[in-house]
Amino acid sequence: MTSHQVEVRDRRTGEVFVLTVPEHRPLLECFEEHGIDLPFACRQGACTTCAVRVLAGELEQRDAMGLSPALQQEGYALFCVARARSAAIVETQDEDEVYRLQFGRAFAQARRPWWPFPRWTAD
Ligand code: FES
């Protein structure tokens, strides 16, 4: 079984955590098993609460449905579904930061109001 060393820099507390993790297991789960408290909500790769920025190394995150391919290319990952593919260093993100990056862009690119339905009035 292949394992990799993963370092997490927690921006909320300034703490740094380092673990050696098997590459087939979700990273959040591995860190939790060692009593390390990191941000999460859905645990399904949907909400971005657990978003990290990958500073070094490679993570696999095929189940990160809540993170756009563009942000994945820019080095963001969802820690609840990510798995290590090499030694890696990541830092936690502010959930609002990733949300703004992802949806702020989408709304800014829209040429019409984001609400997709016509407004019904009682005239
Ligand atoms: S906890 Fe929701 S995407 Fe990871």
Side-chain angles (χ1 to χ4, degrees), residues 28 39-50 78-81:
L28 178 66
F40 72 90
C42 72
R43 296 177 176 276
Q44 304 292 316
C47 74
T48 74
T49 302
C50 67
L78 297 180
F79 211 59
C80 67
V81 293

Side-chain angles (χ1 to χ4, degrees), residues 19-36:
L19 281 183
T20 299
V21 298
E23 72 174 16
H24 69 281
R25 295 206 44 221
L27 291 167
L28 178 66
E29 197 176 282
C30 295
F31 279 76
E32 285 180 326
E33 278 181 7
H34 286 79
I36 298 166

Side-chain angles (χ1 to χ4, degrees), residues 63-82:
D63 296 327
M65 60 187 145
L67 193 60
S68 70
L71 284 180
Q72 291 183 34
Q73 286 287 325
E74 289 179 29
Y76 291 94
L78 297 180
F79 211 59
C80 67
V81 293

Side-chain angles (χ1 to χ4, degrees), residues 93-104:
Q93 298 297 301
D94 171 9
E95 181 188 7
D96 289 345
E97 177 182 336
V98 173
Y99 185 88
R100 263 193 321 275
L101 284 170
Q102 182 153 261
F103 298 111

Side-chain angles (χ1 to χ4, degrees), residues 4 6 27 54 56-61 83-89:
H4 304 287
V6 175
L27 291 167
V54 182
E58 183 186 344
L59 303 185
E60 181 277 307
Q61 54 172 338
R83 292 160 170 84
R85 285 294 175 263
S86 71
I89 302 172

